[in-house]
């Protein structure tokens, strides 16, 4: 699930929140929806040396039963 960093423009709080679809994030401090994206939090890279390819369809590492080439 995507975890994004946000900066609340109402109270200045920086927080991270899981975002589903296009729902606006809610500041945990003041409850405001007035926020802007702060830092992108890309998924951590796979461990170095991991020989398993990543399934392009679902992002699962290794052989994906549903999307195996
Ligand atoms: Zn706030």
């Amino acid at each position: 699930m995507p975890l994004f960093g946000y900066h609340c423009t109402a109270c200045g709080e920086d927080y991270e929140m899981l975002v589903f679809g296009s729902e606006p994030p809610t500041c945990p401090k003041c409850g405001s929806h007035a926020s802007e994206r702060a830092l992108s939090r890309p998924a951590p890279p796979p461990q170095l040396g991991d020989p398993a390819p990543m399934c392009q369809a679902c992002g699962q590492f290794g052989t994906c039963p549903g999307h195996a080439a």
Side-chain angles (χ1 to χ4, degrees), residues 50 52-55 59-65:
D50 184 353
M54 187 176 76
C55 176
Q60 179 175 315
F61 286 99
T63 303
C64 176

Side-chain angles (χ1 to χ4, degrees), residues 15-30:
Y15 59 98
E16 295 176 338
M17 183 161 291
L18 290 171
V19 177
F20 302 94
S22 57
E23 289 185 33
T26 303
C27 175
K29 187 175 181 179
C30 71

Side-chain angles (χ1 to χ4, degrees), residues 8-13 15 27-32 34:
C8 178
T9 57
C11 72
E13 178 80 353
Y15 59 98
C27 175
K29 187 175 181 179
C30 71
S32 172

